[in-house]
Amino acid sequence: VCEMRGFMPNIDGDGEEAPIGVISVLTDSDGDGRMDASRVFLDGLVLPRGLCWTADGFLVCENGNIWLCKDIDGDDRCDSKALICKYSPGNVEHSLNGLMPALDNWIYNAKQGIRLRRTLRGWNTDLIAGRGQWGITQDNFGFLRYNVNASLLRGDLVPCYSAIAQTMNSLVDVELTDDQTMFPIRPTPGINRGYVPGFLRSDGSLIDANSNCGPVVYRGDNLPSELLGDVFIAEPAGNLIRRQKMLAPDGAPGKKRVLSRNAYEQREFIASRDERFRPVNLCNSPDGTIYCVDMYRGVIQHGAFITPYLRQQILERQLDQGINYGRIWRVVHDETEPREPARLSQKRNSELVRLLASTNGWHRDMAQQLLVQRQDTTVVRELEKMLFEEPQALGRLHALWTIEGLGRVDAELLYELLKDTDEHVRASAVTLYTAFATVESMQAQIAADLAECVEDDSALVRMQCLLALASLPAADVEAEIANLLQSFAHDREALRGVLSGLGGREVEFLRSRLQHDGWDIQQDWRVAVLSEAATVIWRQRDPVAVLKLCHLLDTIPETRIWQQLALLEGLIDPPVVVRNRFPPSPGESEAVSKPTHAPKAGNAALLRLSSAPLAAERLTQSSNGRLSAAAARMAERMIWPGKNGQPLPEKQSLTPEQTQLVDIGRDVYSTLCAGCHHELGYGLSAKGPPLLGSDWLEDESRLVRVLLNGLQGPISINGDLYNADDRLSMPAMSKALDDEHIAGVISYIRREFLENAPTIEVRHVTALRNELRLRELPWTESELSSIGKSSAR
């Protein structure tokens, strides 16, 4: 177990960086199901926040490092500690955690966009889309589930092994419920925004989800079967655990087609009258039940974000006292039967193979991990036999991914699995076919094999089939690709998700399509494909990819203007749709949501190209008014050497001190800000608004005030309403960041997301901090609007 003993030792968090965190080994010496002995495995850690078993030892994530910690002599004490990788540590509430081995043999985490995999040559690190905030889980088929503080349940609409799942797109990080209502059984005034009208009921209890974390999809076999597949979510601010039932998907994957609901009518799975009951993590246990980690303390909000209101609540009720009483619960039922410890590490490989079809998801996962990490290929024949004789689809699915982990996937085997009765086995087989796409002698046969899946009943299989076919250079797959594209064209979000899975090959994919004669005919589905592909490319803000696309535009003949229009009109930042993150409070009318559109041209930072996009220049002179206007809009968002007869303008030159300040700000943004506002400033659903081209970046005084004191309530961004329901707030950073770091991050985002914006000076932050030293409440837009832009000076 991970003991984060340094977290908030007092209300101000003083001494939090002390290396007093430990990893302990708990033992049940008498077999009664309760742990009765504890030994320290590893100590001297600063805020350790996650661990994961491997055959080599334990992975421990701690303060920006992932360590591999080994017990060599078997005394339950770490003898060797090696660095596997580093990450941005960030604030403790916004740092990597929840290391979880998934179906595809990669280890995923919450918060950071990296994943790990153990190989015979060492550990591999892969950069992927970041997910969630605290805790991550998977269902039986490898679909990842997670959440953030005020978004109850989020997840991917494609499994982790899909290329689509590795990039941020419309099928990744999707909100899976539209109802955030909580039902505590006690007043819960001790929450950070309890002062906001409508945040608490008249009895003082929390209305809406506020601190969701530690989710788990129940996959065990020692609780009633009706719980299988349900997602259990910890909500420590409400002193409760939610049971969320997943609803069956309806048709092809799409953003609004997979939802969930509370399993009960206006009540919770577990709720406590004890204010110190703080469930923060849930997991499937070896005995088929659920474990619940309970921090059991009064203060769970990190000091950097504590509002004056919450500070008063803490001191009045002495919630900062009694901080070392964390507990682990086992959730049981009247039907639950005590079981002997599984001890899978002591089982032979043949026994582990049989456990791949266990009714207990923990056993299936651990058996797969053990077999893969032992790398004993003598079991491959047994696994292959299981693929065709095991009646349980989950057993066949785990057997296939175990073979993948052993590096013994066979193309003939995969072809047979394309006929499996289970869509997840078929989709996995199609995905693994891509490993052979680079073998020239096999490409024709692979294309022929995959052609048999084009009309599969499963949208998931068709998605994976499209990605697999797109990896083939063979010219004879165009008809199959066209059929697949047409099947998704009616669902723009699904289509965009599929195209995002091309992984940087979007332009080449488009070029292959446009070279075929069939594409000279304009049809709605072809227009949709071109438009969505251009959107995917533009969202990457990669100058090389955009230049490639411009070159492609230049090769399209005048007889196909519709293709140029589709591409050019897709080359825009799509609108960020603002949704109310919570339903209206009882008695309140539902707020109207408006879309927050992309930054206005000329306001957002321009995309800087190394050479002229010839198509942009040529097409702006087109006699077709619609085409010339679309080309002009594209050109407005880019800059290149020789544009308007001028050399490529240099950004404001920086002094060495300013360069250092911007570098500091870049680190702060990636650590604290990108998790809510997106790495490229597009904003993230349920987290934070867009920054790219936002008019809020134009006023440095306003930005300093927001970072010092925070921001609440609806705001207008480029003329459109954001956060209409007033449930999202920007926390104050005055405690978390000093003046230099605040000046640095403001200088960075203005320079990165706003054209020609200068840096700011540290002294301006210092002056405002002194001026506002007595202010406790966050700002509202109306307050900030009444303050002149020059007030900071």
Side-chain angles (χ1 to χ4, degrees):
V1 296
C2 181
E3 300 187 32
M4 195 168 60
R5 295 178 178 180
F7 177 76
M8 291 296 290
N10 57 42
I11 194 171
D12 294 311
D14 297 329
E16 193 173 56
E17 296 299 315
I20 59 175
V22 303
I23 306 298
S24 298
V25 178
L26 306 185
T27 305
D28 172 18
S29 58
D30 58 10
D32 68 348
R34 295 176 183 268
M35 300 299 173
D36 48 40
S38 174
R39 295 184 301 284
V40 173
F41 170 75
L42 177 64
D43 56 12
L45 301 173
V46 177
L47 298 174
R49 44 182 73 96
L51 54 117
C52 175
W53 174 89
T54 77
D56 295 332
F58 281 93
L59 293 176
V60 177
C61 51
E62 177 238 5
N63 202 35
N65 306 293
I66 297 182
W67 307 100
L68 178 62
C69 304
K70 299 183 180 182
D71 170 21
I72 297 173
D73 55 14
D75 64 350
D76 287 337
R77 179 74 184 178
C78 177
D79 302 306
S80 171
K81 180 181 172 186
L83 182 66
I84 297 299
C85 74
K86 300 184 75 69
Y87 59 90
S88 299
N91 179 274
V92 69
E93 291 191 18
H94 301 275
S95 188
L96 184 152
N97 64 88
L99 299 174
M100 182 199 70
L103 178 67
D104 63 352
N105 299 310
W106 285 87
I107 297 174
Y108 292 81
N109 74 87
K111 198 58 183 176
Q112 293 282 339
I114 60 175
R115 60 177 181 171
L116 304 173
R117 179 162 177 157
R118 178 183 178 271
T119 69
L120 291 175
R121 298 180 180 177
W123 286 88
N124 289 344
T125 303
D126 187 25
L127 298 179
I128 60 170
R131 295 171 169 87
Q133 184 170 348
W134 193 274
I136 189 168
T137 183
Q138 69 173 344
D139 70 5
N140 279 339
F141 312 107
F143 289 73
L144 302 183
R145 304 286 182 245
Y146 36 88
N147 52 25
V148 296
N149 275 347
S151 184
L152 184 67
L153 182 59
R154 308 185 69 80
D156 300 348
L157 303 188
V158 288
C160 58
Y161 56 78
S162 173
I164 301 171
Q166 310 319 320
T167 61
M168 189 59 68
N169 61 74
S170 57
L171 302 182
V172 170
D173 198 5
V174 175
E175 191 167 46
L176 299 180
T177 181
D178 55 3
D179 185 357
Q180 309 283 341
T181 314
M182 298 281 105
F183 300 98
I185 60 173
R186 60 171 305 280
T188 57
I191 57 177
N192 218 25
R193 300 188 69 211
Y195 63 89
V196 176
F199 210 81
L200 300 176
R201 296 184 176 88
S202 58
D203 64 0
S205 65
L206 178 70
I207 295 176
D208 298 310
N210 185 64
S211 62
N212 302 296
C213 56
V216 67
V217 178
Y218 178 62
R219 302 168 58 217
D221 61 351
N222 210 353
L223 293 174
S225 59
E226 67 187 67
L227 273 61
L228 279 171
D230 291 355
V231 187
F232 293 80
I233 302 159
E235 218 297 359
N239 315 113
L240 58 85
I241 296 174
R242 162 63 55 89
R243 174 188 168 196
Q244 197 78 358
K245 287 204 77 69
M246 296 300 300
L247 305 180
D250 177 21
K255 200 162 193 174
K256 297 180 180 179
R257 294 192 178 120
V258 177
L259 292 174
S260 63
R261 60 171 175 80
N262 187 356
Y264 309 100
E265 185 69 29
Q266 297 191 5
R267 60 191 179 98
E268 304 294 345
F269 178 67
I270 292 176
S272 175
R273 291 187 173 86
D274 186 347
E275 186 169 16
R276 293 172 185 267
F277 173 63
R278 303 292 198 182
V280 292
N281 198 32
L282 303 163
C283 59
N284 288 288
S285 69
D287 72 346
T289 59
I290 295 175
Y291 285 165
C292 168
V293 177
D294 172 13
M295 284 183 77
Y296 202 73
R297 53 155 43 225
V299 179
I300 57 172
Q301 181 74 60
H302 189 260
F305 309 124
I306 288 179
T307 60
Y309 164 85
L310 179 56
R311 187 182 184 89
Q312 181 180 350
Q313 291 283 328
I314 291 170
L315 295 176
E316 285 181 352
R317 298 203 302 284
Q318 297 183 321
L319 296 178
D320 54 333
Q321 305 300 311
I323 60 173
N324 294 312
Y325 297 99
R327 308 183 285 195
I328 300 176
W329 299 94
R330 177 189 286 111
V331 179
V332 297
H333 185 268
D334 291 343
E335 299 175 3
T336 299
E337 298 179 358
R339 293 178 178 176
E340 292 293 324
R343 304 190 187 281
L344 267 62
S345 62
Q346 299 177 14
K347 293 187 180 295
R348 298 187 303 274
N349 288 341
S350 58
E351 295 176 292
L352 293 176
V353 170
R354 289 193 289 275
L355 282 172
L356 294 175
S358 170
T359 56
N360 185 324
W362 187 93
H363 287 189
R364 293 195 303 272
D365 291 349
M366 186 58 70
Q368 177 178 328
Q369 291 173 56
L370 281 162
L371 287 167
V372 169
Q373 295 188 30
R374 287 177 181 177
Q375 284 293 306
D376 179 5
T377 57
T378 62
V379 299
V380 170
R381 186 177 298 276
E382 228 177 316
L383 291 166
E384 291 178 345
K385 181 179 179 182
M386 186 177 189
L387 284 172
F388 300 103
E389 296 183 2
E390 170 56 49
Q392 299 298 324
L394 287 176
R396 301 196 301 274
L397 186 64
H398 279 277
L400 177 56
W401 283 102
T402 302
I403 293 174
E404 188 275 342
L406 293 172
R408 298 299 293 269
V409 173
D410 176 79
E412 293 290 342
L413 179 74
L414 294 177
Y415 175 69
E416 294 300 323
L417 293 178
L418 297 179
K419 309 180 186 75
D420 195 277
T421 58
D422 182 76
E423 66 170 323
H424 302 287
V425 175
R426 298 198 305 275
S428 296
V430 170
T431 300
L432 294 175
Y433 246 119
T434 57
F436 303 99
T438 58
V439 182
E440 187 173 355
S441 61
M442 299 180 64
Q443 289 169 355
Q445 187 60 56
I446 293 173
D449 294 347
L450 292 176
E452 299 179 17
C453 304
V454 170
E455 297 183 1
D456 196 286
D457 291 338
S458 166
L460 173 61
V461 174
R462 297 198 305 274
M463 277 186 170
Q464 296 309 111
C465 186
L466 176 56
L467 295 176
L469 287 170
S471 67
L472 294 170
D476 55 353
V477 296
E478 176 57 32
E480 288 75 15
I481 288 179
N483 287 338
L484 289 167
L485 287 172
Q486 191 169 1
S487 73
F488 290 111
H490 69 284
D491 185 336
R492 285 296 186 105
E493 290 178 334
L495 178 60
R496 189 178 304 167
V498 173
L499 294 171
S500 297
L502 294 173
R505 294 180 290 112
E506 296 89 356
V507 177
E508 288 73 14
F509 179 80
L510 288 176
R511 182 178 291 110
S512 295
R513 309 287 74 76
L514 296 181
Q515 288 174 348
H516 286 269
D517 293 338
W519 278 76
D520 60 352
I521 301 173
Q522 179 178 355
Q523 291 182 298
D524 289 345
W525 70 268
R526 291 192 175 103
V527 172
V529 169
L530 295 178
S531 177
E532 292 303 326
T535 296
V536 169
I537 293 167
W538 183 251
R539 288 272 289 179
Q540 297 168 2
R541 293 186 68 82
D542 180 354
V544 174
V546 172
L547 276 172
K548 286 182 178 179
L549 184 60
C550 289
H551 178 72
L552 180 62
L553 276 165
D554 211 33
T555 65
I556 297 175
E558 294 182 359
T559 55
R560 299 187 182 184
I561 285 181
W562 68 270
Q563 295 177 351
Q564 295 172 323
L565 280 171
L567 290 170
L568 285 169
E569 292 177 350
L571 267 178
I572 58 173
D573 297 307
V576 178
V577 179
V578 177
R579 296 182 176 85
N580 287 335
R581 296 160 64 237
F582 301 85
S585 304
E588 296 179 356
S589 60
E590 185 172 359
V592 178
S593 298
K594 291 178 62 179
T596 296
H597 294 284
K600 306 296 187 286
N603 195 29
L606 300 176
L607 185 63
R608 302 172 73 87
L609 306 181
S610 60
S611 60
L614 300 180
E617 295 183 309
R618 182 175 63 82
L619 295 178
T620 55
Q621 307 302 317
S622 173
S623 59
N624 183 297
R626 181 179 165 190
L627 184 60
S628 62
R633 285 194 299 271
M634 178 183 72
E636 287 176 1
R637 294 172 176 268
M638 305 184 301
I639 196 164
W640 59 85
K643 183 178 182 181
N644 300 325
Q646 300 296 318
L648 184 66
E650 297 293 332
K651 285 192 174 184
Q652 177 189 11
S653 60
L654 302 178
T655 66
E657 292 78 12
Q658 290 172 327
T659 299
Q660 181 180 8
L661 195 65
V662 170
D663 288 342
I664 289 172
R666 181 181 292 104
D667 290 340
V668 172
Y669 186 81
S670 65
T671 299
L672 286 181
C673 313
C676 292
H677 295 288
H678 192 275
E679 178 186 358
L680 299 177
Y682 285 115
L684 292 171
S685 176
K687 293 182 181 180
L691 296 178
L692 183 65
S694 169
D695 52 4
W696 280 72
L697 302 189
E698 297 171 1
D699 185 344
E700 66 183 52
S701 170
R702 184 162 63 168
L703 287 177
V704 173
R705 292 171 187 271
V706 168
L707 263 73
L708 285 173
N709 300 111
L711 178 67
Q712 72 175 52
I715 61 174
S716 174
I717 301 177
N718 296 337
D720 291 314
L721 188 65
Y722 182 84
N723 191 29
D725 54 11
D726 189 19
R727 299 297 185 181
L728 182 66
S729 65
M730 165 74 184
M733 292 292 171
S734 57
K735 292 183 179 179
L737 301 175
D738 61 21
D739 296 346
E740 182 181 44
H741 285 75
I742 288 178
V745 73
I746 291 176
S747 295
Y748 171 74
I749 62 175
R750 278 161 57 87
R751 188 173 174 84
E752 190 73 12
F753 303 134
L754 198 66
E755 191 66 22
N756 298 322
T759 61
I760 72 168
E761 297 183 23
V762 178
R763 64 184 178 88
H764 294 154
V765 180
T766 302
L768 262 179
R769 187 188 288 269
N770 291 333
E771 178 185 326
L772 301 171
R773 64 186 182 279
L774 299 180
R775 183 180 178 92
E776 295 184 341
L777 295 176
W779 296 95
T780 63
E781 183 176 24
S782 59
E783 287 181 294
L784 293 172
S785 297
S786 65
I787 299 174
K789 292 186 178 181
S790 62
S791 62
R793 303 182 185 277

